[in-house]
Amino acid sequence: MKIINLLSVLLILIGALNWGLVGIIKLNIVEALFKKDSIISRIIYSLIGIAGLYTILYLIL
């Protein structure tokens, strides 16, 4: 279970850094590494969202 928590925190940090860069210098790292609407970028965004939901549930329970 500890590995899932660590992975979740890592994905949340990646998402937070990405949004910070988007807000500050309009640079989206995920879109820079992969094409804008590619399946890989959608998977990355989905995993970050799932990690956020998991962390919310983890903190509540």
Short mmCIF file of all heavy atoms in Angstrom, two decimals:
data_model
loop_
_atom_site.label_atom_id
_atom_site.label_comp_id
_atom_site.label_asym_id
_atom_site.label_seq_id
_atom_site.Cartn_x
_atom_site.Cartn_y
_atom_site.Cartn_z
N MET A 1 0.82 -1.19 0.00
CA MET A 1 0.00 0.00 0.00
C MET A 1 0.86 1.26 0.00
O MET A 1 0.47 2.27 -0.54
CB MET A 1 -0.92 -0.03 1.22
CG MET A 1 -2.00 0.98 1.16
SD MET A 1 -3.06 0.72 -0.26
CE MET A 1 -4.62 0.62 0.49
N LYS A 2 2.02 1.18 0.58
CA LYS A 2 2.89 2.34 0.64
C LYS A 2 3.37 2.77 -0.75
O LYS A 2 3.53 3.95 -1.02
CB LYS A 2 4.08 2.02 1.53
CG LYS A 2 4.85 3.22 1.94
CD LYS A 2 5.82 2.88 3.04
CE LYS A 2 6.43 4.16 3.54
NZ LYS A 2 6.85 4.09 4.90
N ILE A 3 3.55 1.81 -1.65
CA ILE A 3 3.98 2.13 -3.02
C ILE A 3 2.90 2.92 -3.74
O ILE A 3 3.20 3.88 -4.46
CB ILE A 3 4.34 0.83 -3.79
CG1 ILE A 3 5.57 0.19 -3.16
CG2 ILE A 3 4.57 1.12 -5.25
CD1 ILE A 3 5.90 -1.16 -3.73
N ILE A 4 1.64 2.56 -3.53
CA ILE A 4 0.54 3.28 -4.17
C ILE A 4 0.49 4.72 -3.66
O ILE A 4 0.30 5.65 -4.44
CB ILE A 4 -0.80 2.56 -3.91
CG1 ILE A 4 -0.81 1.21 -4.61
CG2 ILE A 4 -1.97 3.42 -4.37
CD1 ILE A 4 -2.02 0.36 -4.30
N ASN A 5 0.70 4.91 -2.36
CA ASN A 5 0.71 6.27 -1.81
C ASN A 5 1.85 7.09 -2.39
O ASN A 5 1.67 8.26 -2.74
CB ASN A 5 0.82 6.22 -0.29
CG ASN A 5 -0.39 5.61 0.36
OD1 ASN A 5 -1.46 5.52 -0.24
ND2 ASN A 5 -0.25 5.19 1.60
N LEU A 6 3.02 6.50 -2.49
CA LEU A 6 4.18 7.20 -3.04
C LEU A 6 3.95 7.55 -4.51
O LEU A 6 4.23 8.68 -4.94
CB LEU A 6 5.44 6.35 -2.89
CG LEU A 6 6.74 6.96 -3.39
CD1 LEU A 6 7.08 8.20 -2.59
CD2 LEU A 6 7.85 5.95 -3.31
N LEU A 7 3.43 6.62 -5.28
CA LEU A 7 3.14 6.87 -6.69
C LEU A 7 2.09 7.96 -6.84
O LEU A 7 2.20 8.83 -7.71
CB LEU A 7 2.68 5.58 -7.36
CG LEU A 7 2.41 5.64 -8.85
CD1 LEU A 7 3.66 6.04 -9.61
CD2 LEU A 7 1.88 4.32 -9.34
N SER A 8 1.09 7.95 -5.99
CA SER A 8 0.04 8.96 -6.03
C SER A 8 0.61 10.34 -5.75
O SER A 8 0.30 11.31 -6.46
CB SER A 8 -1.04 8.61 -5.00
OG SER A 8 -2.05 9.57 -5.00
N VAL A 9 1.45 10.45 -4.74
CA VAL A 9 2.07 11.75 -4.42
C VAL A 9 2.96 12.21 -5.57
O VAL A 9 2.95 13.39 -5.94
CB VAL A 9 2.86 11.66 -3.10
CG1 VAL A 9 3.73 12.88 -2.89
CG2 VAL A 9 1.92 11.46 -1.93
N LEU A 10 3.69 11.30 -6.16
CA LEU A 10 4.56 11.65 -7.29
C LEU A 10 3.74 12.19 -8.46
O LEU A 10 4.09 13.21 -9.06
CB LEU A 10 5.38 10.44 -7.71
CG LEU A 10 6.33 10.64 -8.88
CD1 LEU A 10 7.42 11.63 -8.51
CD2 LEU A 10 6.95 9.32 -9.29
N LEU A 11 2.65 11.52 -8.79
CA LEU A 11 1.80 11.99 -9.89
C LEU A 11 1.16 13.33 -9.59
O LEU A 11 1.05 14.20 -10.47
CB LEU A 11 0.72 10.94 -10.19
CG LEU A 11 1.21 9.69 -10.91
CD1 LEU A 11 0.11 8.63 -10.92
CD2 LEU A 11 1.65 10.01 -12.31
N ILE A 12 0.76 13.55 -8.34
CA ILE A 12 0.18 14.83 -7.96
C ILE A 12 1.22 15.94 -8.08
O ILE A 12 0.92 17.05 -8.55
CB ILE A 12 -0.41 14.77 -6.55
CG1 ILE A 12 -1.65 13.87 -6.55
CG2 ILE A 12 -0.76 16.16 -6.03
CD1 ILE A 12 -2.18 13.54 -5.19
N LEU A 13 2.46 15.67 -7.68
CA LEU A 13 3.52 16.67 -7.82
C LEU A 13 3.80 16.99 -9.28
O LEU A 13 3.99 18.16 -9.64
CB LEU A 13 4.79 16.18 -7.13
CG LEU A 13 4.76 16.18 -5.61
CD1 LEU A 13 6.03 15.55 -5.05
CD2 LEU A 13 4.59 17.59 -5.08
N ILE A 14 3.81 15.98 -10.12
CA ILE A 14 4.01 16.21 -11.56
C ILE A 14 2.89 17.09 -12.11
O ILE A 14 3.14 18.04 -12.85
CB ILE A 14 4.09 14.87 -12.32
CG1 ILE A 14 5.38 14.15 -11.98
CG2 ILE A 14 3.97 15.09 -13.83
CD1 ILE A 14 5.44 12.72 -12.48
N GLY A 15 1.66 16.78 -11.72
CA GLY A 15 0.52 17.59 -12.17
C GLY A 15 0.60 19.02 -11.66
O GLY A 15 0.33 19.97 -12.40
N ALA A 16 0.97 19.19 -10.40
CA ALA A 16 1.07 20.53 -9.83
C ALA A 16 2.17 21.34 -10.51
O ALA A 16 1.98 22.53 -10.82
CB ALA A 16 1.34 20.43 -8.33
N LEU A 17 3.32 20.73 -10.75
CA LEU A 17 4.40 21.43 -11.45
C LEU A 17 4.00 21.79 -12.87
O LEU A 17 4.30 22.89 -13.35
CB LEU A 17 5.67 20.59 -11.44
CG LEU A 17 6.33 20.40 -10.07
CD1 LEU A 17 7.48 19.41 -10.17
CD2 LEU A 17 6.81 21.73 -9.53
N ASN A 18 3.31 20.89 -13.53
CA ASN A 18 2.86 21.16 -14.89
C ASN A 18 1.90 22.35 -14.91
O ASN A 18 2.04 23.25 -15.73
CB ASN A 18 2.19 19.92 -15.49
CG ASN A 18 1.90 20.07 -16.96
OD1 ASN A 18 2.76 20.46 -17.72
ND2 ASN A 18 0.68 19.76 -17.35
N TRP A 19 0.92 22.37 -14.00
CA TRP A 19 -0.02 23.49 -13.96
C TRP A 19 0.66 24.78 -13.56
O TRP A 19 0.29 25.86 -14.02
CB TRP A 19 -1.18 23.18 -13.02
CG TRP A 19 -2.22 22.36 -13.70
CD1 TRP A 19 -2.49 21.04 -13.48
CD2 TRP A 19 -3.09 22.77 -14.75
NE1 TRP A 19 -3.48 20.62 -14.33
CE2 TRP A 19 -3.87 21.66 -15.11
CE3 TRP A 19 -3.28 23.97 -15.42
CZ2 TRP A 19 -4.83 21.73 -16.12
CZ3 TRP A 19 -4.25 24.02 -16.41
CH2 TRP A 19 -5.00 22.91 -16.75
N GLY A 20 1.66 24.69 -12.69
CA GLY A 20 2.42 25.89 -12.33
C GLY A 20 3.14 26.47 -13.54
O GLY A 20 3.14 27.69 -13.74
N LEU A 21 3.75 25.61 -14.33
CA LEU A 21 4.43 26.08 -15.54
C LEU A 21 3.45 26.63 -16.56
O LEU A 21 3.75 27.61 -17.25
CB LEU A 21 5.26 24.95 -16.16
CG LEU A 21 6.51 24.55 -15.39
CD1 LEU A 21 7.13 23.31 -16.00
CD2 LEU A 21 7.50 25.69 -15.36
N VAL A 22 2.28 26.02 -16.65
CA VAL A 22 1.26 26.55 -17.56
C VAL A 22 0.84 27.95 -17.13
O VAL A 22 0.70 28.86 -17.95
CB VAL A 22 0.02 25.60 -17.62
CG1 VAL A 22 -1.14 26.26 -18.34
CG2 VAL A 22 0.38 24.29 -18.30
N GLY A 23 0.67 28.13 -15.83
CA GLY A 23 0.23 29.44 -15.32
C GLY A 23 1.31 30.50 -15.42
O GLY A 23 1.01 31.66 -15.69
N ILE A 24 2.56 30.13 -15.19
CA ILE A 24 3.63 31.12 -15.15
C ILE A 24 4.17 31.45 -16.54
O ILE A 24 4.29 32.62 -16.91
CB ILE A 24 4.77 30.64 -14.23
CG1 ILE A 24 4.27 30.56 -12.78
CG2 ILE A 24 5.97 31.56 -14.32
CD1 ILE A 24 5.23 29.86 -11.84
N ILE A 25 4.51 30.41 -17.31
CA ILE A 25 5.15 30.68 -18.61
C ILE A 25 4.44 30.03 -19.80
O ILE A 25 4.98 29.93 -20.88
CB ILE A 25 6.64 30.24 -18.60
CG1 ILE A 25 6.77 28.75 -18.28
CG2 ILE A 25 7.43 31.07 -17.63
CD1 ILE A 25 8.19 28.23 -18.39
N LYS A 26 3.20 29.56 -19.56
CA LYS A 26 2.39 28.95 -20.62
C LYS A 26 3.11 27.78 -21.30
O LYS A 26 3.10 27.65 -22.52
CB LYS A 26 1.96 29.99 -21.65
CG LYS A 26 1.06 31.05 -21.10
CD LYS A 26 0.60 32.01 -22.18
CE LYS A 26 -0.28 33.07 -21.56
NZ LYS A 26 -0.78 34.00 -22.55
N LEU A 27 3.76 26.96 -20.48
CA LEU A 27 4.45 25.78 -21.00
C LEU A 27 3.82 24.54 -20.39
O LEU A 27 3.85 24.35 -19.17
CB LEU A 27 5.94 25.82 -20.64
CG LEU A 27 6.74 24.55 -20.97
CD1 LEU A 27 6.79 24.35 -22.48
CD2 LEU A 27 8.13 24.65 -20.40
N ASN A 28 3.24 23.71 -21.22
CA ASN A 28 2.64 22.46 -20.78
C ASN A 28 3.63 21.35 -21.09
O ASN A 28 3.83 20.99 -22.25
CB ASN A 28 1.30 22.23 -21.48
CG ASN A 28 0.53 21.08 -20.89
OD1 ASN A 28 1.11 20.15 -20.34
ND2 ASN A 28 -0.78 21.14 -21.01
N ILE A 29 4.26 20.82 -20.05
CA ILE A 29 5.29 19.79 -20.23
C ILE A 29 4.74 18.54 -20.89
O ILE A 29 5.38 17.95 -21.76
CB ILE A 29 5.94 19.45 -18.88
CG1 ILE A 29 6.68 20.66 -18.31
CG2 ILE A 29 6.89 18.27 -19.00
CD1 ILE A 29 7.85 21.10 -19.15
N VAL A 30 3.53 18.12 -20.48
CA VAL A 30 2.95 16.90 -21.06
C VAL A 30 2.74 17.08 -22.56
O VAL A 30 3.08 16.21 -23.36
CB VAL A 30 1.63 16.54 -20.35
CG1 VAL A 30 0.97 15.35 -21.02
CG2 VAL A 30 1.88 16.24 -18.87
N GLU A 31 2.22 18.23 -22.95
CA GLU A 31 2.00 18.48 -24.38
C GLU A 31 3.31 18.73 -25.11
O GLU A 31 3.39 18.51 -26.32
CB GLU A 31 1.05 19.66 -24.57
CG GLU A 31 -0.37 19.32 -24.19
CD GLU A 31 -1.32 20.48 -24.38
OE1 GLU A 31 -0.90 21.54 -24.88
OE2 GLU A 31 -2.50 20.32 -24.04
N ALA A 32 4.33 19.20 -24.40
CA ALA A 32 5.62 19.40 -25.05
C ALA A 32 6.31 18.06 -25.32
O ALA A 32 6.98 17.90 -26.34
CB ALA A 32 6.52 20.28 -24.18
N LEU A 33 6.13 17.10 -24.42
CA LEU A 33 6.76 15.79 -24.59
C LEU A 33 5.97 14.89 -25.54
O LEU A 33 6.54 14.09 -26.27
CB LEU A 33 6.92 15.10 -23.24
CG LEU A 33 7.88 15.75 -22.26
CD1 LEU A 33 7.83 15.04 -20.92
CD2 LEU A 33 9.29 15.75 -22.81
N PHE A 34 4.65 15.04 -25.50
CA PHE A 34 3.78 14.23 -26.34
C PHE A 34 2.88 15.17 -27.12
O PHE A 34 2.75 16.34 -26.79
CB PHE A 34 2.93 13.28 -25.47
CG PHE A 34 3.75 12.49 -24.49
CD1 PHE A 34 3.80 12.84 -23.16
CD2 PHE A 34 4.50 11.41 -24.91
CE1 PHE A 34 4.55 12.13 -22.25
CE2 PHE A 34 5.26 10.68 -24.01
CZ PHE A 34 5.29 11.05 -22.68
N LYS A 35 2.25 14.70 -28.15
CA LYS A 35 1.36 15.57 -28.93
C LYS A 35 0.18 16.01 -28.08
O LYS A 35 -0.18 15.37 -27.10
CB LYS A 35 0.89 14.83 -30.17
CG LYS A 35 2.00 14.55 -31.14
CD LYS A 35 1.47 13.85 -32.36
CE LYS A 35 2.62 13.54 -33.30
NZ LYS A 35 2.21 12.78 -34.45
N LYS A 36 -0.46 17.11 -28.51
CA LYS A 36 -1.50 17.75 -27.70
C LYS A 36 -2.62 16.79 -27.31
O LYS A 36 -2.94 16.66 -26.14
CB LYS A 36 -2.07 18.95 -28.43
CG LYS A 36 -3.09 19.68 -27.61
CD LYS A 36 -3.52 20.97 -28.25
CE LYS A 36 -4.51 21.65 -27.33
NZ LYS A 36 -4.92 22.93 -27.81
N ASP A 37 -3.26 16.16 -28.23
CA ASP A 37 -4.38 15.28 -27.91
C ASP A 37 -4.05 13.81 -28.16
O ASP A 37 -4.91 13.03 -28.56
CB ASP A 37 -5.61 15.68 -28.73
CG ASP A 37 -6.22 16.98 -28.24
OD1 ASP A 37 -6.20 17.19 -27.02
OD2 ASP A 37 -6.70 17.76 -29.07
N SER A 38 -2.81 13.43 -27.86
CA SER A 38 -2.42 12.04 -28.06
C SER A 38 -2.98 11.16 -26.95
O SER A 38 -3.35 11.65 -25.87
CB SER A 38 -0.89 11.91 -28.11
OG SER A 38 -0.35 12.10 -26.82
N ILE A 39 -3.03 9.89 -27.21
CA ILE A 39 -3.54 8.95 -26.22
C ILE A 39 -2.63 8.90 -25.00
O ILE A 39 -3.10 8.74 -23.87
CB ILE A 39 -3.74 7.54 -26.84
CG1 ILE A 39 -4.49 6.62 -25.89
CG2 ILE A 39 -2.43 6.92 -27.23
CD1 ILE A 39 -5.93 6.96 -25.74
N ILE A 40 -1.33 9.10 -25.19
CA ILE A 40 -0.40 9.06 -24.06
C ILE A 40 -0.64 10.25 -23.13
O ILE A 40 -0.67 10.08 -21.91
CB ILE A 40 1.07 9.05 -24.56
CG1 ILE A 40 1.33 7.76 -25.32
CG2 ILE A 40 2.04 9.18 -23.40
CD1 ILE A 40 2.67 7.71 -26.01
N SER A 41 -0.86 11.43 -23.68
CA SER A 41 -1.12 12.59 -22.82
C SER A 41 -2.45 12.42 -22.09
O SER A 41 -2.56 12.80 -20.92
CB SER A 41 -1.10 13.88 -23.63
OG SER A 41 -2.11 13.91 -24.59
N ARG A 42 -3.44 11.84 -22.74
CA ARG A 42 -4.72 11.59 -22.07
C ARG A 42 -4.56 10.58 -20.94
O ARG A 42 -5.18 10.72 -19.89
CB ARG A 42 -5.76 11.11 -23.08
CG ARG A 42 -6.17 12.21 -24.07
CD ARG A 42 -7.17 11.72 -25.09
NE ARG A 42 -8.35 11.15 -24.48
CZ ARG A 42 -9.47 11.83 -24.23
NH1 ARG A 42 -9.53 13.10 -24.55
NH2 ARG A 42 -10.50 11.25 -23.69
N ILE A 43 -3.73 9.57 -21.14
CA ILE A 43 -3.46 8.59 -20.09
C ILE A 43 -2.76 9.25 -18.91
O ILE A 43 -3.11 9.02 -17.74
CB ILE A 43 -2.64 7.41 -20.64
CG1 ILE A 43 -3.50 6.57 -21.60
CG2 ILE A 43 -2.08 6.55 -19.52
CD1 ILE A 43 -2.72 5.52 -22.36
N ILE A 44 -1.79 10.10 -19.19
CA ILE A 44 -1.06 10.80 -18.12
C ILE A 44 -2.02 11.68 -17.33
O ILE A 44 -2.03 11.66 -16.09
CB ILE A 44 0.11 11.61 -18.69
CG1 ILE A 44 1.19 10.66 -19.21
CG2 ILE A 44 0.70 12.55 -17.63
CD1 ILE A 44 2.28 11.33 -20.00
N TYR A 45 -2.84 12.47 -18.01
CA TYR A 45 -3.81 13.32 -17.32
C TYR A 45 -4.79 12.48 -16.50
O TYR A 45 -5.16 12.85 -15.38
CB TYR A 45 -4.57 14.20 -18.31
CG TYR A 45 -3.74 15.29 -18.94
CD1 TYR A 45 -3.80 15.54 -20.30
CD2 TYR A 45 -2.91 16.09 -18.16
CE1 TYR A 45 -3.06 16.55 -20.87
CE2 TYR A 45 -2.16 17.10 -18.73
CZ TYR A 45 -2.24 17.32 -20.08
OH TYR A 45 -1.50 18.32 -20.65
N SER A 46 -5.22 11.35 -17.05
CA SER A 46 -6.14 10.47 -16.32
C SER A 46 -5.49 9.89 -15.07
O SER A 46 -6.12 9.84 -14.01
CB SER A 46 -6.61 9.34 -17.24
OG SER A 46 -7.32 9.85 -18.32
N LEU A 47 -4.24 9.46 -15.19
CA LEU A 47 -3.53 8.92 -14.03
C LEU A 47 -3.35 9.98 -12.94
O LEU A 47 -3.49 9.69 -11.75
CB LEU A 47 -2.17 8.36 -14.44
CG LEU A 47 -2.20 7.06 -15.23
CD1 LEU A 47 -0.79 6.70 -15.71
CD2 LEU A 47 -2.79 5.94 -14.40
N ILE A 48 -3.07 11.21 -13.34
CA ILE A 48 -2.93 12.29 -12.35
C ILE A 48 -4.27 12.56 -11.68
O ILE A 48 -4.33 12.75 -10.46
CB ILE A 48 -2.36 13.56 -13.02
CG1 ILE A 48 -0.90 13.32 -13.42
CG2 ILE A 48 -2.47 14.76 -12.09
CD1 ILE A 48 -0.30 14.41 -14.27
N GLY A 49 -5.34 12.54 -12.43
CA GLY A 49 -6.67 12.73 -11.85
C GLY A 49 -7.04 11.61 -10.89
O GLY A 49 -7.58 11.85 -9.80
N ILE A 50 -6.76 10.37 -11.27
CA ILE A 50 -7.03 9.23 -10.40
C ILE A 50 -6.19 9.32 -9.13
O ILE A 50 -6.68 9.02 -8.03
CB ILE A 50 -6.77 7.91 -11.16
CG1 ILE A 50 -7.83 7.71 -12.25
CG2 ILE A 50 -6.76 6.72 -10.20
CD1 ILE A 50 -7.51 6.61 -13.23
N ALA A 51 -4.94 9.75 -9.27
CA ALA A 51 -4.08 9.91 -8.09
C ALA A 51 -4.65 10.96 -7.15
O ALA A 51 -4.61 10.80 -5.93
CB ALA A 51 -2.67 10.29 -8.52
N GLY A 52 -5.19 12.03 -7.70
CA GLY A 52 -5.80 13.06 -6.87
C GLY A 52 -7.02 12.53 -6.13
O GLY A 52 -7.19 12.78 -4.93
N LEU A 53 -7.89 11.80 -6.83
CA LEU A 53 -9.06 11.21 -6.18
C LEU A 53 -8.65 10.20 -5.11
O LEU A 53 -9.23 10.17 -4.02
CB LEU A 53 -9.95 10.53 -7.22
CG LEU A 53 -10.66 11.46 -8.19
CD1 LEU A 53 -11.40 10.65 -9.25
CD2 LEU A 53 -11.63 12.36 -7.44
N TYR A 54 -7.66 9.38 -5.41
CA TYR A 54 -7.18 8.41 -4.44
C TYR A 54 -6.66 9.11 -3.19
O TYR A 54 -6.94 8.69 -2.06
CB TYR A 54 -6.08 7.54 -5.05
CG TYR A 54 -5.40 6.64 -4.04
CD1 TYR A 54 -6.01 5.47 -3.64
CD2 TYR A 54 -4.18 6.99 -3.47
CE1 TYR A 54 -5.42 4.64 -2.70
CE2 TYR A 54 -3.58 6.19 -2.53
CZ TYR A 54 -4.20 5.01 -2.15
OH TYR A 54 -3.60 4.21 -1.21
N THR A 55 -5.93 10.19 -3.38
CA THR A 55 -5.36 10.91 -2.24
C THR A 55 -6.46 11.56 -1.41
O THR A 55 -6.38 11.57 -0.17
CB THR A 55 -4.34 11.95 -2.72
OG1 THR A 55 -3.33 11.27 -3.47
CG2 THR A 55 -3.69 12.68 -1.56
N ILE A 56 -7.47 12.10 -2.05
CA ILE A 56 -8.60 12.66 -1.31
C ILE A 56 -9.25 11.57 -0.44
O ILE A 56 -9.50 11.78 0.75
CB ILE A 56 -9.64 13.29 -2.26
CG1 ILE A 56 -9.09 14.57 -2.87
CG2 ILE A 56 -10.95 13.58 -1.52
CD1 ILE A 56 -9.94 15.14 -3.98
N LEU A 57 -9.51 10.42 -1.04
CA LEU A 57 -10.11 9.31 -0.28
C LEU A 57 -9.19 8.83 0.83
O LEU A 57 -9.63 8.52 1.94
CB LEU A 57 -10.46 8.16 -1.21
CG LEU A 57 -11.58 8.44 -2.21
CD1 LEU A 57 -11.75 7.27 -3.16
CD2 LEU A 57 -12.88 8.73 -1.48
N TYR A 58 -7.90 8.78 0.56
CA TYR A 58 -6.92 8.36 1.56
C TYR A 58 -6.90 9.32 2.76
O TYR A 58 -6.83 8.90 3.91
CB TYR A 58 -5.53 8.28 0.92
CG TYR A 58 -4.43 7.92 1.89
CD1 TYR A 58 -4.27 6.61 2.34
CD2 TYR A 58 -3.55 8.90 2.37
CE1 TYR A 58 -3.27 6.28 3.23
CE2 TYR A 58 -2.55 8.58 3.26
CZ TYR A 58 -2.41 7.26 3.70
OH TYR A 58 -1.44 6.94 4.58
N LEU A 59 -6.98 10.62 2.48
CA LEU A 59 -6.98 11.61 3.55
C LEU A 59 -8.26 11.60 4.36
O LEU A 59 -8.25 11.85 5.57
CB LEU A 59 -6.71 13.00 2.98
CG LEU A 59 -5.31 13.22 2.41
CD1 LEU A 59 -5.22 14.58 1.75
CD2 LEU A 59 -4.25 13.08 3.49
N ILE A 60 -9.39 11.34 3.70
CA ILE A 60 -10.68 11.32 4.39
C ILE A 60 -10.83 10.06 5.25
O ILE A 60 -11.28 10.13 6.39
CB ILE A 60 -11.84 11.40 3.38
CG1 ILE A 60 -11.87 12.78 2.75
CG2 ILE A 60 -13.17 11.10 4.04
CD1 ILE A 60 -12.86 12.94 1.63
N LEU A 61 -10.42 8.94 4.70
CA LEU A 61 -10.57 7.68 5.43
C LEU A 61 -9.33 7.41 6.19
O LEU A 61 -9.04 7.09 7.16
CB LEU A 61 -10.83 6.53 4.45
CG LEU A 61 -12.04 6.71 3.55
CD1 LEU A 61 -12.11 5.58 2.54
CD2 LEU A 61 -13.32 6.74 4.36
#
